[in-house]
């Protein structure tokens, strides 16, 4: 069966039906970047619990559906604008960046391109260097071209090699420069909008598969957790070679993020068996009377 990685999806906002559909469509591994939740947090404790969820419960929950879950840690650009809170989050981050399954610092960068965003972006680039993790850059939706260039300029100012930096939310306007400068160029496929599967396929046709990464960025908004497999299917229909599909929808994300030392193909090629009877903090994904999915005949119920 064809395998996919969705290297940018906010699964805390998604349902178990999504997980089932994703696995059925061939998604074997996902990366969940720390981001904002649609409304601003008011306490550092909310960040702490959210970060703990990313390395704890959500990782466990994904596993119950046969998907290996990784995450990135960071202070998103929107909430960087609450400076006193952002300072507290910066003190918290070092406690989380070394946890199992953390594959990058991200998603960080610019939103409105304010002074505070710039300050906390730079601090987190320094943190990434210190702990030797890749960086996932969120590029702004407004004034994208300028914001994307600036993200790369500042990253270079701090001495990060482009091979350690994934620039996300690209489009036709930004892709050339991002690739020319040696960065990973990720694309978020939003249904019916900005960057759809067809435009993605055209970009791969034009630029080839080198360092291009497809993701869904599915979250609490209108988005599609199957964007990666659907885009792969469309690329196939449009005559894009199999190897190019494999690179953009699987291999490039693996190569980029395995630089963290935290992501390994063996994690899903030789997975632990699914056992939905398992519990995390006393909770399972099952509700009363449901039949657990248990894989492997060597498992004995006791
Ligand atoms: Zn995101």
């Amino acid at each position: 069966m064809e395998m996919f990685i969705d290297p940018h999806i906010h699964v805390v906002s998604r349902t178990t039906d999504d997980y089932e559909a994703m696995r059925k469509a061939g998604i074997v591994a996902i990366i969940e970047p720390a981001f904002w939740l649609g409304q601003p947090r008011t306490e550092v404790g909310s960040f702490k619990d959210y970060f703990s969820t990313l390395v704890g419960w959500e990782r466990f929950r994904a596993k119950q559906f046969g998907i290996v879950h990784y995450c990135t840690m960071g202070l998103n650009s929107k909430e960087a604008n609450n400076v006193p809170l952002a300072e507290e989050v910066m003190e918290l981050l070092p406690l989380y960046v070394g946890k199992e399954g953390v594959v990058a610092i991200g998603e960080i960068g610019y939103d409105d391109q304010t002074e505070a965003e710039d300050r906390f972006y730079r601090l987190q680039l320094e943190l990434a260097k210190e702990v030797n993790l890749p960086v996932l850059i969120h590029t702004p939706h407004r004034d994208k071209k300028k914001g994307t260039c600036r993200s790369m300029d500042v990253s270079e100012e701090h001495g990060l090699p482009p091979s350690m930096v994934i620039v996300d939310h690209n489009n036709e306007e930004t892709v050339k420069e991002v690739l020319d400068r040696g960065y990973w160029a990720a694309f978020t496929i939003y249904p019916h909008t900005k960057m759809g599967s067809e435009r993605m396929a055209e970009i791969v046709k034009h630029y080839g598969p080198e360092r291009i990464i497809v993701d869904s960025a599915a979250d609490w908004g209108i988005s599609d957790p199957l964007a990666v497999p659907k885009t792969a299917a469309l690329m196939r229909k449009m005559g894009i070679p199999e190897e190019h599909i494999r690179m953009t929808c699987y291999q490039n994300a693996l190569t980029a993020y395995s630089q963290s030392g935290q992501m390994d193909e063996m994690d899903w090629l030789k997975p632990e068996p699914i056992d939905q009877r398992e519990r995390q903090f006393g909770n399972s994904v099952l509700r009363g009377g449901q039949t657990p999915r248990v894989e492997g005949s060597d498992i004995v119920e006791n």
Side-chain angles (χ1 to χ4, degrees):
M1 169 143 187
E2 196 174 10
M3 292 188 295
F4 299 106
I5 295 173
D6 188 345
H8 187 152
I9 182 166
H10 302 287
V11 270
V12 291
S13 306
R14 310 301 308 194
T15 64
T16 57
D17 285 355
D18 289 335
Y19 268 131
E20 273 178 8
M22 286 159 65
R23 188 61 187 85
K24 221 171 135 194
I27 295 173
V28 290
I30 54 176
I31 298 171
E32 173 154 30
F35 82 137
W36 92 298
L37 300 176
Q39 75 178 44
R41 280 163 277 209
T42 57
E43 309 276 348
V44 71
S46 309
F47 279 92
K48 186 178 171 195
D49 291 339
Y50 173 65
F51 294 157
S52 297
T53 296
L54 296 187
V55 292
W57 174 252
E58 204 54 45
R59 191 168 162 80
F60 169 82
R61 199 166 79 101
K63 187 176 153 207
Q64 303 311 305
F65 297 92
I67 294 175
V68 187
H69 178 284
Y70 307 91
C71 68
T72 75
M73 284 291 165
L75 169 67
N76 65 84
S77 49
K78 254 185 208 294
E79 288 176 295
N81 289 301
N82 180 344
V83 171
L85 182 57
E87 283 171 345
E88 288 184 84
V89 175
M90 285 309 301
E91 279 174 42
L92 192 63
L93 274 175
L95 306 176
Y96 283 90
V97 295
K99 299 238 187 242
E100 195 183 341
V102 177
V103 295
I105 302 296
E107 48 191 295
I108 60 172
Y110 298 107
D111 180 46
D112 270 332
Q113 306 192 44
T114 63
E115 216 172 287
E117 290 168 20
D118 186 62
R119 175 182 160 201
F120 290 103
Y121 174 48
R122 288 171 185 273
L123 284 171
Q124 292 184 92
L125 291 174
E126 285 300 316
L127 176 62
K129 258 183 3 191
E130 208 174 288
V131 297
N132 201 23
L133 278 178
V135 170
L136 168 59
I137 291 179
H138 163 98
T139 55
H141 299 295
R142 296 171 298 278
D143 220 347
K144 177 171 285 293
K145 185 115 206 312
K146 186 175 143 228
T148 304
C149 297
R150 185 176 174 194
S151 311
M152 293 187 287
D153 292 345
V154 170
S155 172
E156 281 160 30
E157 232 180 86
H158 286 264
L160 279 99
S163 59
M164 285 291 272
V165 180
I166 298 99
V167 179
D168 208 343
H169 311 313
N170 277 285
N171 61 23
E172 291 89 345
E173 268 208 304
T174 56
V175 57
K176 185 171 187 312
E177 181 173 348
V178 171
L179 289 175
D180 284 350
R181 290 172 74 166
Y183 290 84
W184 300 92
F187 291 81
T188 301
I189 310 301
Y190 296 108
H192 339 289
T193 62
K194 303 177 258 195
M195 200 51 236
S197 295
E198 274 155 48
R199 284 169 64 186
M200 186 69 244
E202 289 299 339
I203 285 170
V204 174
K205 251 189 178 169
H206 186 87
Y207 291 95
E210 232 19 82
R211 279 182 284 117
I212 286 182
I213 294 173
V214 179
D215 64 64
S216 74
D219 59 12
W220 33 258
I222 297 171
S223 46
D224 185 357
L226 301 181
V228 176
K230 283 181 185 171
T231 303
L234 184 73
M235 285 200 254
R236 183 164 298 124
K237 231 172 103 189
M238 289 171 67
I240 290 174
E242 285 304 314
E243 179 56 13
H244 295 192
I245 297 171
R246 200 187 72 86
M247 283 174 75
T248 54
C249 298
Y250 179 81
Q251 186 61 49
N252 290 347
L254 174 58
T255 306
Y257 288 102
S258 62
Q259 297 181 97
S260 63
Q262 285 292 322
M263 187 175 188
D264 187 331
E265 208 172 25
M266 281 304 133
D267 295 347
W268 54 90
L269 293 184
K270 285 202 181 310
E272 291 171 46
I274 295 170
D275 183 353
Q276 292 187 340
R277 296 166 306 182
E278 279 179 5
R279 283 164 187 270
Q280 169 101 336
F281 315 124
N283 290 316
S284 84
V285 293
L286 301 171
R287 293 295 172 266
Q290 292 171 349
T291 311
R293 186 170 151 208
V294 181
E295 286 183 351
S297 54
D298 51 335
I299 296 167
V300 181
E301 181 97 52
N302 49 33

